[in-house]
């Protein structure tokens, strides 16, 4: 028994000695393989003067470290240029990562610290503004459809929430006002409030079914404005009393076969009605679907002109979907990202970025299925 205990203790002592005596090169290789560049640099520096292998690996570590610092600084700059007001959270993340990677032996970069200090001050201002606006409250105890600037405040809070990485919800106050608008039969405002609630909801948050039903009913009750192409009924001219006119008998007009319905004109009218109601996505998909049908030349030209007229609106919607998809990717919400990219292809089937993102999501899903 005593001999077994001695054997075990001796084994542990030998293992501890081996680990303690591991060469700096071995420790550097292990740290480098695991992506711990600063530790690899520290370990290899001790052995670089005596080992050619250590010097070669140390040069590679320095090159990789410099490349990462350059990449992170570039990412931070791009974020600030894209949205200077709310870039503090993500930009700070990259600047701090670059600072952490720079070892004590590197010359300090004062410009990075200046940017970090500035972004921290800006973040402090955003946090104060957020606390002032939140929670999103309805201004009266008995809210009406004309509740004050709740839409503008919700827009601003949603933007601040993303910048500060908060998880507060602003949906219910909007839906409460939408409910009062529905009672007041202000259906345009119901649609606007419901769309806003859907846009700013959290990825894990769903609109209540009753709110979605109220939204759908409001859309169906909005009267589409009369377009120029639609014929307006002409008022009947009143005949002066007592006047008599001779009735002329006309020869019967030759009967002609009824013309076949033109699917292009029907699609164009439907798309315009949807566009005026605010459902631009359905308007664009309706026109896209009609292009593949057998159309008369006049209808095809009219649809082409309408698509050109709506090009800016289509691009804005695509940009909005793309931003939502990229946001979902950053939050690792693959299902939501897939939904946004699919919506892009519904209105712009040849969008290369959306197709590329969906292909990557499919590849990741296959890898996960294989691992499971």
């Amino acid at each position: 028994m005593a001999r077994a205990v001695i054997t075990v203790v001796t084994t542990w002592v030998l293992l501890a000695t081996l680990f303690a005596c591991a060469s700096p090169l071995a420790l550097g290789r292990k740290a480098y393989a695991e992506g711990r560049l600063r530790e690899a640099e520290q370990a290899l520096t001790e052995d670089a003067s005596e080992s050619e292998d250590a010097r070669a690996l140390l040069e590679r570590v320095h090159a990789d470290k410099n490349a990462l610092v350059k990449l992170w600084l570039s990412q931070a700059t791009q974020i600030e240029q894209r949205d200077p007001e709310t870039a503090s959270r993500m930009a700070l993340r990259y600047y701090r990562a670059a600072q952490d990677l720079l070892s004590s032996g590197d010359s300090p970069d004062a410009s990075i610290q200046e940017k970090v200090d500035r972004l921290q001050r800006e973040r402090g201002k955003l946090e104060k503004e957020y606390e002032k606006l939140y929670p999103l409250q309805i201004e009266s105890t008995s809210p009406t459809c004309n509740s004050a600037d709740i839409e503008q405040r919700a827009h601003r809070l949603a933007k601040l929430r993303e910048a500060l990485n908060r998880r507060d919800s602003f949906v219910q106050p909007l839906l409460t006002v939408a409910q009062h608008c529905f009672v007041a039969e202000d259906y345009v405002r119901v649609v606007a409030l419901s769309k806003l609630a859907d846009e700013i909801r959290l990825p894990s948050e769903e609109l209540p079914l009753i709110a979605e039903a109220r939204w759908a009913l409001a859309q169906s009750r909005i009267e589409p404005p009369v377009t120029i192409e639609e014929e307006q009924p002409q008022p009947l001219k009143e005949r002066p009393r007592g006047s008599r006119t001779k009735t002329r008998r006309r020869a019967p007009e030759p009967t002609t076969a009824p013309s076949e319905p033109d699917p292009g004109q029907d699609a164009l009218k439907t798309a315009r009605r949807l566009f005026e109601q605010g459902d631009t996505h359905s308007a664009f998909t309706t026109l896209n679907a009609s292009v593949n049908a057998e159309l008369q030349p006049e209808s095809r030209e009219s649809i082409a002109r309408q698509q050109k007229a709506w090009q800016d609106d289509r691009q804005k919607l695509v940009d909005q979907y793309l931003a939502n998809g990229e946001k979902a990717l950053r939050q690792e919400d693959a299902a939501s990202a897939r939904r946004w990219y699919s919506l892009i292809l519904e209105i712009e089937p040849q969008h290369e970025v959306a197709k590329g993102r969906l292909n990557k999501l499919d590849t990741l899903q296959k890898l996960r299925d294989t691992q499971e």
Side-chain angles (χ1 to χ4, degrees):
M1 180 67 180
R3 184 177 297 174
V5 172
I6 292 173
T7 302
V8 172
V9 171
T10 304
T11 302
W12 280 106
V13 171
L14 289 173
L15 288 174
T17 303
L18 287 173
F19 281 115
C21 297
S23 67
L25 178 58
L27 294 175
R29 283 175 175 169
K30 185 175 185 299
Y32 179 72
E34 295 175 357
R36 294 179 283 113
L37 297 182
R38 283 195 62 180
E39 295 180 29
E41 182 182 42
Q42 292 172 356
L44 293 169
T45 302
E46 300 176 8
D47 201 30
S49 60
E50 300 178 3
S51 171
E52 183 66 29
D53 291 338
R55 284 195 295 273
L57 183 55
L58 183 60
E59 290 180 3
R60 190 190 305 177
V61 169
H62 284 159
D64 288 356
K65 189 182 70 170
N66 292 334
L68 274 179
V69 169
K70 184 178 180 181
L71 173 63
W72 285 335
L73 294 179
S74 174
Q75 292 280 11
T77 302
Q78 290 178 16
I79 291 172
E80 288 194 88
Q81 291 175 348
R82 186 166 60 245
D83 193 354
E85 184 182 14
T86 59
S88 59
R89 177 173 64 90
M90 292 299 297
L92 271 174
R93 178 186 177 193
Y94 286 117
Y95 282 134
R96 285 171 175 164
Q99 282 184 318
D100 291 341
L101 195 56
L102 293 172
S103 65
S104 57
D106 295 321
S107 57
D109 192 335
S111 63
I112 298 179
Q113 187 59 47
E114 290 177 1
K115 293 174 182 177
V116 169
D117 294 341
R118 174 176 53 79
L119 287 175
Q120 286 178 331
R121 290 193 299 269
E122 292 176 359
R123 184 178 178 85
K125 293 179 183 179
L126 295 179
E127 288 175 346
K128 289 182 180 179
E129 183 182 0
Y130 187 87
E131 295 299 331
K132 182 179 179 180
L133 292 176
Y134 182 80
L136 184 65
Q137 295 177 340
I138 303 171
E139 294 193 348
S140 63
T141 56
S142 178
T144 65
C145 184
N146 295 322
S147 294
D149 56 347
I150 190 169
E151 292 180 65
Q152 290 80 1
R153 290 161 55 204
H155 263 300
R156 181 60 180 166
L157 274 170
K159 192 169 186 179
L160 293 172
R161 179 181 64 187
E162 181 179 359
L164 300 173
N165 198 25
R166 301 285 287 264
R167 289 294 181 268
D168 303 309
S169 174
F170 320 126
V171 166
Q172 190 54 52
L174 293 174
L175 297 181
T176 301
V177 178
Q179 177 183 357
H180 286 268
C181 291
F182 189 84
V183 174
E185 298 184 0
D186 188 349
Y187 300 126
V188 173
R189 191 160 170 77
V190 173
V191 171
L193 289 165
S194 302
K195 288 181 66 176
L196 177 58
D198 185 53
E199 290 172 1
I200 69 172
R201 64 185 175 85
L202 297 170
S204 59
E205 191 175 16
E206 294 184 359
L207 297 185
L209 288 176
I210 185 63
E212 292 189 355
R214 194 180 299 121
W215 182 5
L217 287 173
Q219 284 181 313
S220 67
R221 294 177 183 179
I222 296 176
E223 291 294 334
V226 178
T227 60
I228 298 176
E229 285 76 12
E230 294 176 351
E231 294 183 1
Q232 307 257 358
Q234 299 295 329
L236 295 176
K237 295 181 180 180
E238 294 186 2
R239 182 184 300 173
R241 293 183 179 179
S243 62
R244 293 184 179 181
T245 57
K246 294 183 180 180
T247 304
R248 295 183 179 180
R249 297 196 178 191
R250 296 182 179 179
E253 297 181 356
T255 58
T256 57
S259 59
E260 296 182 359
D262 185 356
Q265 291 300 321
D266 292 340
L268 192 58
K269 289 182 179 180
T270 301
R272 286 171 175 165
R273 176 172 55 82
L274 291 169
F275 189 88
E276 295 296 339
Q277 291 176 356
D279 189 359
T280 54
H281 182 93
S282 298
F284 299 148
T285 55
T286 299
L287 285 189
N288 288 346
S290 67
V291 171
N292 299 324
E294 294 183 2
L295 304 177
Q296 297 180 7
E298 296 81 2
S299 296
R300 191 173 295 279
E301 291 177 3
S302 298
I303 290 174
R305 287 196 300 270
Q306 188 63 80
Q307 286 182 321
K308 185 177 181 180
W310 284 346
Q311 181 59 39
D312 291 343
D313 299 277
R314 182 196 301 268
Q315 188 60 49
K316 289 180 182 178
L317 191 60
V318 168
D319 292 342
Q320 177 186 340
Y321 288 166
L322 187 59
N324 293 342
E326 299 295 291
K327 176 182 176 183
L329 276 185
R330 292 195 300 270
Q331 296 174 344
E332 299 183 359
D333 187 354
S336 180
R338 184 183 297 276
R339 170 173 167 259
W340 290 115
Y341 295 133
S342 298
L343 287 174
I344 292 176
L345 294 182
E346 287 181 9
I347 61 176
E348 193 169 322
Q350 303 304 322
H351 197 278
E352 295 297 333
V353 175
K355 290 195 294 185
R357 295 287 193 273
L358 286 175
N359 289 335
K360 289 183 179 179
L361 288 172
D362 291 339
T363 302
L364 287 175
Q365 186 61 47
K366 290 178 182 178
L367 289 174
R368 290 172 182 170
D369 295 341
T370 303
Q371 292 174 354
E372 294 176 357

